[in-house]
Amino acid sequence: MPDAFADLVGQDEAVDMLRRAAASAAAVLRTAGERAESATADDGTVPAAAEGDPGAGMTHAWIFTGPPGSGRSVAARAFAAALQCVHGTGCGECPGCHTTLAGTHADVRLVVPEGLSIGVNEMRALVLRAASTPSGGRWQIVIIEDADRLTEAAGNALLKAVEEPPPRTVFLLCAPSTHPDDISVTIRSRCRVVPLRQPPAAAVAEVLVRRDGIAPDVARWAAAATQGHVGRARRLAGDPQARARREAVLAVPRRLTGVGAAFAAASALIEAAEAEAEASVAEIDAAERAALETALGAGGTGRGAAGAARGAAGQLKDLERRQKSRATRAQRDALDRALVDLAAFYRDALTMALGAPVAPVHTDTAELADAGARSWQAEGALRRLEAVLSCRTAIEANVKPRIAVEAMMLALWKG
Ligand SMILES: [Zn+2]
């Protein structure tokens, strides 16, 4: 049976909460409609009573939190579909559900930051548009992926809207956690939190088989290797390049035979992340530039051409700045994925050294992890795991990636 929440894997409690909120939102719209028919105009404001039951009511601002791959944006989109659903349930089939899930609903705006942060201008424009009356008669919905990447000024612009929300506007924010580093305390205090957990690998494998037609054994391997990250598991199962990148990362522990090898491994990891990032943005960069040049009518002459050319140069510069920011972000994301894979290898070694009864993340390097466990003991495995995790933290804190990765490789070699 089709269902807007079908792709939200292993999140029964969150789905239950969102379904009840969608039903409550539909009731709000019905009441508003009846009141409008019987008497004066009504703005459909969510009544205070709807806030009374924290488990069921509808509210204007939500935060979806959970580890990467838990399905924050999938959950936000599914909830948006349920709010726009003509049946108020998220049936997955009606035009409201369908267009929302396809990303074409006129009253649902999705913000995916391309650079390292979401800027204030983007946020102001968004808040302004979100205040307009929903064309479909239901809700104006703004989904902000990676709300933890809002700049402070953008956060303030959003806060104003969240504090005094237009009656039919709903903000759905996605962030790793509600820690003040991720989301400001004041915004947090205005939102209801939907916590998502890391889905079990078995549930992820089941989705890959059912929805993507991936062979069960490949699906199980990919789900375990990506630690329940649905998107990465799907890519790993279907994309040979993703597999090759993972294999190169998992070859690192074997390659660390001396100082020179450690620096070489650091270079290789950085360059692989750069290459992966470049491939991921090259196509869209070129398309954007071509579109802008066409729009600017490159090579015009005559009256006003000089002024127009000056304006055009500014716009091109602006585009280049945005593209550079996006490339940096793509590089960091690629590097982070590699570090997560590497951390899991040392985590496997640690659990083996401790004799813990848990399955290894990387079944294909389990033997190597076991050999490491025996020579390093638990303490040595833990130190190495910590070296990888500190590298992630350092890069997050804006340490130059090459410096952080070199320090990590040396620590992994020395142990
Ligand atoms: Zn529907």
Side-chain angles (χ1 to χ4, degrees):
M1 219 175 72
D3 171 10
F5 293 98
D7 287 341
L8 203 52
V9 186
Q11 312 287 356
D12 295 347
E13 280 172 37
V15 169
D16 194 46
M17 174 183 186
L18 295 171
R19 281 194 201 283
R20 278 183 288 147
S24 149
V28 168
L29 294 182
R30 265 197 310 278
T31 316
E34 283 158 17
R35 265 193 243 146
E37 260 173 43
S38 65
T40 53
D42 184 281
D43 62 3
T45 306
V46 177
E51 307 274 3
D53 178 357
M58 177 56 187
T59 187
H60 286 285
W62 299 73
I63 303 180
F64 296 80
T65 65
S70 56
R72 298 180 300 236
S73 63
V74 174
R77 275 175 236 218
F79 184 44
L83 292 176
Q84 304 293 18
C85 175
V86 299
H87 309 293
T89 57
C91 69
E93 282 184 309
C94 73
C97 282
H98 193 76
T99 53
T100 303
L101 294 173
T104 55
H105 196 294
D107 298 331
V108 180
R109 251 166 291 279
L110 176 67
V111 186
V112 185
E114 294 184 330
L116 290 172
S117 57
I118 307 176
V120 64
N121 290 336
E122 193 182 349
M123 186 52 66
R124 284 205 186 114
L126 197 76
V127 163
L128 206 63
R129 288 188 63 182
S132 60
T133 308
S135 63
R138 298 184 71 88
W139 305 94
Q140 275 286 3
I141 301 175
V142 178
I143 302 174
I144 304 179
E145 276 192 17
D146 300 323
D148 53 309
R149 283 168 167 155
L150 290 172
T151 61
E152 200 186 333
N156 288 337
L158 175 64
L159 177 63
K160 278 193 201 114
V162 170
E163 276 178 336
E164 287 169 43
R168 291 289 185 90
T169 304
V170 182
F171 291 95
L172 307 179
L173 316 183
C174 307
S177 75
T178 54
H179 188 278
D181 281 353
D182 284 339
I183 206 95
S184 85
V185 175
T186 38
I187 290 182
R188 157 74 188 84
S189 69
R190 305 279 170 174
C191 295
R192 184 166 305 156
V193 179
V194 184
L196 302 169
R197 61 191 182 115
Q198 189 151 30
V204 172
E206 192 265 322
V207 170
L208 296 189
V209 171
R210 173 169 53 81
R211 216 186 72 163
D212 304 290
I214 292 167
D217 54 334
V218 176
R220 274 195 300 274
W221 165 76
T226 54
Q227 302 175 67
H229 189 305
V230 184
R232 290 195 66 200
R234 184 175 295 132
R235 209 169 317 132
L236 193 59
D239 177 1
Q241 278 187 322
R243 288 191 208 204
R245 280 194 296 266
R246 173 177 169 277
E247 271 163 31
V249 169
L250 292 179
V252 163
R254 255 197 316 267
R255 291 177 54 190
L256 296 173
T257 51
V259 178
F263 280 105
S267 282
L269 197 66
I270 297 280
E271 279 152 26
E274 282 171 358
E276 185 189 344
E278 203 173 300
S280 74
V281 298
E283 205 174 317
I284 183 159
D285 278 4
E288 279 177 356
R289 196 181 172 94
L292 182 59
E293 281 172 352
T294 308
L296 295 171
T301 52
R303 288 179 66 158
R310 276 196 298 278
Q315 285 192 48
L316 276 173
K317 204 168 219 153
D318 204 41
L319 178 68
E320 279 164 12
R321 191 179 44 73
R322 269 185 289 133
Q323 291 187 339
K324 190 159 178 278
S325 169
R326 180 167 61 202
T328 306
R329 160 87 185 279
Q331 264 175 39
R332 286 199 197 175
D333 287 349
L335 187 56
D336 197 59
R337 285 192 289 273
L339 292 174
V340 168
D341 280 343
L342 198 56
F345 171 82
Y346 292 104
R347 171 256 187 216
D348 286 348
L350 177 62
T351 55
M352 287 169 187
L354 293 170
V358 287
V361 171
H362 300 303
T363 47
D364 40 358
T365 53
E367 257 177 58
L368 190 64
D370 190 45
R374 267 174 283 146
S375 82
W376 304 328
Q377 307 291 315
E379 274 181 288
L382 180 59
R383 275 199 303 278
R384 287 171 173 84
L385 174 58
E386 280 175 342
V388 182
L389 299 179
S390 320
C391 177
R392 290 185 73 197
T393 313
I395 292 171
E396 188 96 337
N398 277 325
V399 172
K400 208 161 174 274
R402 183 173 290 272
I403 291 173
V405 171
E406 282 173 357
M408 173 191 78
M409 291 294 186
L410 286 172
L412 292 180
W413 166 60
K414 283 192 239 159

